[in-house]
mmCIF file of all heavy atoms in Angstrom:
data_model
loop_
_atom_site.group_PDB
_atom_site.id
_atom_site.type_symbol
_atom_site.label_atom_id
_atom_site.label_comp_id
_atom_site.label_asym_id
_atom_site.label_seq_id
_atom_site.Cartn_x
_atom_site.Cartn_y
_atom_site.Cartn_z
ATOM 1 N N LEU A 18 73.692 96.654 79.231
ATOM 2 C CA LEU A 18 74.668 97.612 79.902
ATOM 3 C C LEU A 18 76.073 97.463 79.407
ATOM 4 O O LEU A 18 76.679 98.449 79.264
ATOM 5 C CB LEU A 18 74.540 97.305 81.460
ATOM 6 C CG LEU A 18 73.335 97.807 82.060
ATOM 7 C CD1 LEU A 18 73.381 97.358 83.634
ATOM 8 C CD2 LEU A 18 73.060 99.347 81.972
ATOM 9 N N ALA A 19 76.525 96.215 79.090
ATOM 10 C CA ALA A 19 77.776 96.047 78.679
ATOM 11 C C ALA A 19 77.980 96.683 77.272
ATOM 12 O O ALA A 19 79.072 97.324 76.962
ATOM 13 C CB ALA A 19 78.227 94.544 78.610
ATOM 14 N N ILE A 20 76.993 96.564 76.478
ATOM 15 C CA ILE A 20 77.059 97.173 75.141
ATOM 16 C C ILE A 20 77.056 98.739 75.215
ATOM 17 O O ILE A 20 77.869 99.399 74.590
ATOM 18 C CB ILE A 20 75.852 96.751 74.283
ATOM 19 C CG1 ILE A 20 76.022 95.209 73.982
ATOM 20 C CG2 ILE A 20 75.718 97.526 72.943
ATOM 21 C CD1 ILE A 20 74.807 94.582 73.313
ATOM 22 N N LEU A 21 76.157 99.290 76.065
ATOM 23 C CA LEU A 21 76.117 100.685 76.212
ATOM 24 C C LEU A 21 77.359 101.238 76.857
ATOM 25 O O LEU A 21 77.858 102.311 76.558
ATOM 26 C CB LEU A 21 74.939 101.067 77.117
ATOM 27 C CG LEU A 21 73.601 100.810 76.468
ATOM 28 C CD1 LEU A 21 72.460 101.091 77.476
ATOM 29 C CD2 LEU A 21 73.428 101.637 75.221
ATOM 30 N N ALA A 22 77.925 100.421 77.787
ATOM 31 C CA ALA A 22 79.188 100.861 78.489
ATOM 32 C C ALA A 22 80.474 100.442 77.638
ATOM 33 O O ALA A 22 81.510 100.576 78.174
ATOM 34 C CB ALA A 22 79.240 100.353 79.910
ATOM 35 N N GLY A 23 80.258 99.895 76.583
ATOM 36 C CA GLY A 23 81.394 99.348 75.733
ATOM 37 C C GLY A 23 82.340 100.404 75.285
ATOM 38 O O GLY A 23 83.345 100.072 74.784
ATOM 39 N N CYS A 24 81.884 101.628 75.564
ATOM 40 C CA CYS A 24 82.831 102.713 75.153
ATOM 41 C C CYS A 24 84.010 102.874 76.125
ATOM 42 O O CYS A 24 84.929 103.650 75.861
ATOM 43 C CB CYS A 24 82.076 104.091 75.097
ATOM 44 S SG CYS A 24 81.290 104.442 76.684
ATOM 45 N N SER A 25 84.163 102.004 77.207
ATOM 46 C CA SER A 25 85.055 102.200 78.134
ATOM 47 C C SER A 25 85.375 100.837 78.903
ATOM 48 O O SER A 25 84.456 100.112 79.307
ATOM 49 C CB SER A 25 84.857 103.151 79.178
ATOM 50 O OG SER A 25 85.902 103.305 80.177
ATOM 51 N N SER A 26 86.621 100.384 78.985
ATOM 52 C CA SER A 26 86.972 99.210 79.671
ATOM 53 C C SER A 26 88.317 99.452 80.424
ATOM 54 O O SER A 26 89.132 100.263 79.870
ATOM 55 C CB SER A 26 87.151 97.968 78.840
ATOM 56 O OG SER A 26 88.124 98.166 77.892
ATOM 57 N N SER A 27 88.458 98.725 81.572
ATOM 58 C CA SER A 27 89.620 98.966 82.358
ATOM 59 C C SER A 27 90.406 97.686 82.571
ATOM 60 O O SER A 27 89.805 96.622 82.690
ATOM 61 C CB SER A 27 89.340 99.660 83.710
ATOM 62 O OG SER A 27 88.778 100.976 83.544
ATOM 63 N N HIS A 28 91.693 97.841 82.847
ATOM 64 C CA HIS A 28 92.509 96.621 83.162
ATOM 65 C C HIS A 28 93.593 97.107 84.129
ATOM 66 O O HIS A 28 94.242 98.152 83.977
ATOM 67 C CB HIS A 28 93.165 96.157 81.859
ATOM 68 C CG HIS A 28 94.231 95.022 82.203
ATOM 69 N ND1 HIS A 28 93.830 93.820 82.591
ATOM 70 C CD2 HIS A 28 95.553 95.086 82.175
ATOM 71 C CE1 HIS A 28 94.943 93.077 82.722
ATOM 72 N NE2 HIS A 28 95.955 93.837 82.583
ATOM 73 N N PHE A 29 93.817 96.323 85.219
ATOM 74 C CA PHE A 29 94.789 96.532 86.208
ATOM 75 C C PHE A 29 95.875 95.583 86.131
ATOM 76 O O PHE A 29 95.699 94.332 86.208
ATOM 77 C CB PHE A 29 94.155 96.588 87.640
ATOM 78 C CG PHE A 29 93.179 97.735 87.858
ATOM 79 C CD1 PHE A 29 91.887 97.646 87.537
ATOM 80 C CD2 PHE A 29 93.703 98.882 88.292
ATOM 81 C CE1 PHE A 29 90.968 98.718 87.704
ATOM 82 C CE2 PHE A 29 92.795 99.976 88.475
ATOM 83 C CZ PHE A 29 91.463 99.954 88.208
ATOM 84 N N GLU A 30 97.126 95.966 86.130
ATOM 85 C CA GLU A 30 98.333 95.161 86.144
ATOM 86 C C GLU A 30 98.557 94.713 87.542
ATOM 87 O O GLU A 30 98.025 95.309 88.556
ATOM 88 C CB GLU A 30 99.508 95.922 85.533
ATOM 89 C CG GLU A 30 99.388 96.172 84.107
ATOM 90 C CD GLU A 30 99.397 95.048 83.210
ATOM 91 O OE1 GLU A 30 99.998 93.941 83.497
ATOM 92 O OE2 GLU A 30 98.780 95.113 82.098
ATOM 93 N N THR A 31 99.409 93.658 87.799
ATOM 94 C CA THR A 31 99.771 93.216 89.087
ATOM 95 C C THR A 31 100.685 94.323 89.771
ATOM 96 O O THR A 31 101.512 94.800 89.110
ATOM 97 C CB THR A 31 100.619 91.971 89.014
ATOM 98 O OG1 THR A 31 99.816 91.011 88.322
ATOM 99 C CG2 THR A 31 100.982 91.397 90.346
ATOM 100 N N PRO A 32 100.401 94.657 90.943
ATOM 101 C CA PRO A 32 101.139 95.699 91.654
ATOM 102 C C PRO A 32 102.591 95.311 91.733
ATOM 103 O O PRO A 32 103.004 94.136 91.918
ATOM 104 C CB PRO A 32 100.563 95.820 93.053
ATOM 105 C CG PRO A 32 99.209 95.233 92.943
ATOM 106 C CD PRO A 32 99.212 94.228 91.881
ATOM 107 N N GLU A 33 103.516 96.312 91.584
ATOM 108 C CA GLU A 33 104.950 96.121 91.667
ATOM 109 C C GLU A 33 105.498 96.673 92.922
ATOM 110 O O GLU A 33 105.226 97.766 93.317
ATOM 111 C CB GLU A 33 105.696 96.761 90.462
ATOM 112 C CG GLU A 33 105.287 96.173 89.177
ATOM 113 C CD GLU A 33 105.884 96.959 88.018
ATOM 114 O OE1 GLU A 33 106.723 97.812 88.217
ATOM 115 O OE2 GLU A 33 105.567 96.695 86.726
ATOM 116 N N LEU A 34 106.414 95.990 93.596
ATOM 117 C CA LEU A 34 106.996 96.434 94.804
ATOM 118 C C LEU A 34 108.014 97.534 94.385
ATOM 119 O O LEU A 34 108.752 97.390 93.429
ATOM 120 C CB LEU A 34 107.788 95.317 95.437
ATOM 121 C CG LEU A 34 108.512 95.666 96.819
ATOM 122 C CD1 LEU A 34 107.576 96.079 97.792
ATOM 123 C CD2 LEU A 34 109.315 94.516 97.238
ATOM 124 N N GLN A 35 107.966 98.695 95.088
ATOM 125 C CA GLN A 35 108.784 99.783 94.896
ATOM 126 C C GLN A 35 109.925 99.884 96.022
ATOM 127 O O GLN A 35 109.516 100.018 97.223
ATOM 128 C CB GLN A 35 108.103 101.154 94.839
ATOM 129 C CG GLN A 35 107.106 101.187 93.688
ATOM 130 C CD GLN A 35 107.827 101.292 92.370
ATOM 131 O OE1 GLN A 35 108.345 102.393 92.054
ATOM 132 N NE2 GLN A 35 107.715 100.285 91.552
ATOM 133 N N GLY A 36 111.215 99.689 95.618
ATOM 134 C CA GLY A 36 112.135 99.705 96.746
ATOM 135 C C GLY A 36 112.048 98.594 97.581
ATOM 136 O O GLY A 36 111.483 97.596 97.238
ATOM 137 N N GLY A 37 112.584 98.548 98.776
ATOM 138 C CA GLY A 37 112.507 97.484 99.715
ATOM 139 C C GLY A 37 111.355 97.732 100.732
ATOM 140 O O GLY A 37 110.831 98.764 100.866
ATOM 141 N N ALA A 38 111.069 96.704 101.440
ATOM 142 C CA ALA A 38 110.084 96.721 102.538
ATOM 143 C C ALA A 38 110.796 97.436 103.727
ATOM 144 O O ALA A 38 111.945 97.424 103.788
ATOM 145 C CB ALA A 38 109.635 95.283 102.863
ATOM 146 N N ALA A 39 109.933 97.819 104.645
ATOM 147 C CA ALA A 39 110.478 98.560 105.858
ATOM 148 C C ALA A 39 109.758 98.063 107.120
ATOM 149 O O ALA A 39 108.497 97.713 106.975
ATOM 150 C CB ALA A 39 110.343 100.069 105.656
ATOM 151 N N LEU A 40 110.504 98.036 108.133
ATOM 152 C CA LEU A 40 109.791 97.687 109.436
ATOM 153 C C LEU A 40 109.510 98.990 110.137
ATOM 154 O O LEU A 40 110.384 99.860 110.456
ATOM 155 C CB LEU A 40 110.710 96.835 110.296
ATOM 156 C CG LEU A 40 110.121 96.246 111.544
ATOM 157 C CD1 LEU A 40 108.943 95.344 111.221
ATOM 158 C CD2 LEU A 40 111.178 95.420 112.354
ATOM 159 N N VAL A 41 108.256 99.276 110.358
ATOM 160 C CA VAL A 41 107.770 100.539 110.897
ATOM 161 C C VAL A 41 107.172 100.155 112.311
ATOM 162 O O VAL A 41 106.471 99.189 112.395
ATOM 163 C CB VAL A 41 106.717 101.172 109.982
ATOM 164 C CG1 VAL A 41 106.118 102.367 110.648
ATOM 165 C CG2 VAL A 41 107.373 101.551 108.702
ATOM 166 N N ARG A 42 107.516 101.078 113.182
ATOM 167 C CA ARG A 42 106.836 100.960 114.540
ATOM 168 C C ARG A 42 105.682 101.840 114.693
ATOM 169 O O ARG A 42 105.888 103.059 114.556
ATOM 170 C CB ARG A 42 107.956 101.149 115.629
ATOM 171 C CG ARG A 42 108.998 100.113 115.594
ATOM 172 C CD ARG A 42 109.608 99.844 116.961
ATOM 173 N NE ARG A 42 110.634 98.739 116.887
ATOM 174 C CZ ARG A 42 110.211 97.466 117.180
ATOM 175 N NH1 ARG A 42 108.939 97.169 117.446
ATOM 176 N NH2 ARG A 42 111.174 96.566 117.013
#
Side-chain angles (χ1 to χ4, degrees):
L18 287 174
I20 290 168
L21 292 175
C24 59
S25 179
S26 65
S27 296
H28 172 74
F29 292 89
E30 295 293 331
T31 302
E33 297 175 4
L34 180 65
Q35 297 288 291
L40 191 60
V41 171
R42 295 211 174 269

